[in-house]
Amino acid sequence: MSENPQIKVIPEHIETRERELADQAGQFRARIEELPRQLGELDAESENLRITRKTLLTLPLPSPATGPDRPDIPDHPAYQQVLTALADAGRPMRARGLCQALDLPILPKNTEGIRSKLKRLVSRGILIEPEPGLFARPDA
């Protein structure tokens, strides 16, 4: 009986295929071992989200926002006119410039009257004085 070369190739092919299958099986076993850990992490995160939702839903609702405390503006309409002129200008101004913006004659009594009103608005926190004699809205 002579040795057939094809018969010799078949066992080599079978061995190669067995090694490939063993490698694939090993990879699948490693993945199977990894999946429970990953599933556990997903379950834990899901549980944390459920607890967070439950906690947030049990918190009392905050009262409606009233905004920051607004200082009391004096009742006299001249104060509102001064604030409007400063808002319209959009920049810090001096008492003299406000007199001009309010169409008041540039007289010492008018300039000092406006300066007095500006100082009162600064003392109440409605305006700021970034440098002496210069007045601005805090949000400008």
Side-chain angles (χ1 to χ4, degrees):
M1 213 163 136
S2 70
E3 219 175 285
N4 187 345
Q6 290 180 343
I7 293 180
K8 192 174 183 183
V9 171
I10 292 175
E12 290 174 3
H13 178 67
I14 291 173
E15 286 179 28
T16 303
R17 184 67 181 140
E18 285 176 333
R19 281 193 301 272
E20 289 173 354
L21 292 174
D23 287 346
Q24 284 181 345
Q27 291 173 359
F28 284 135
R29 283 187 187 92
R31 286 180 58 196
I32 287 171
E33 290 174 8
E34 181 66 18
L35 289 175
R37 184 194 62 77
Q38 290 176 342
L39 183 59
E41 289 174 359
L42 292 174
D43 287 341
E45 186 175 352
S46 182
E47 179 67 9
N48 288 341
L49 291 172
R50 188 189 65 73
I51 291 169
T52 301
R53 177 187 293 115
K54 183 178 178 182
T55 302
L56 288 174
L57 291 175
T58 60
L59 292 175
L61 292 174
S63 60
T66 57
D69 291 336
R70 184 175 164 201
D72 293 329
I73 298 173
D75 289 334
H76 197 277
Y79 289 96
Q80 191 59 49
Q81 291 170 346
V82 166
L83 292 173
T84 302
L86 270 172
D88 290 345
R91 59 180 172 74
M93 295 182 76
R94 299 190 180 281
R96 181 180 177 95
L98 278 164
C99 284
Q100 290 173 336
L102 295 170
D103 292 327
L104 295 173
I106 307 298
L107 298 172
K109 69 176 189 169
N110 291 338
T111 305
E112 290 307 315
I114 293 294
R115 189 180 334 278
S116 170
K117 288 174 179 52
L118 290 166
K119 291 285 190 179
R120 178 168 290 150
L121 292 171
V122 167
S123 71
R124 292 187 178 199
I126 299 168
L127 294 180
I128 58 171
E129 191 174 7
E131 63 181 59
L134 190 63
F135 300 90
R137 297 172 58 98
D139 55 2

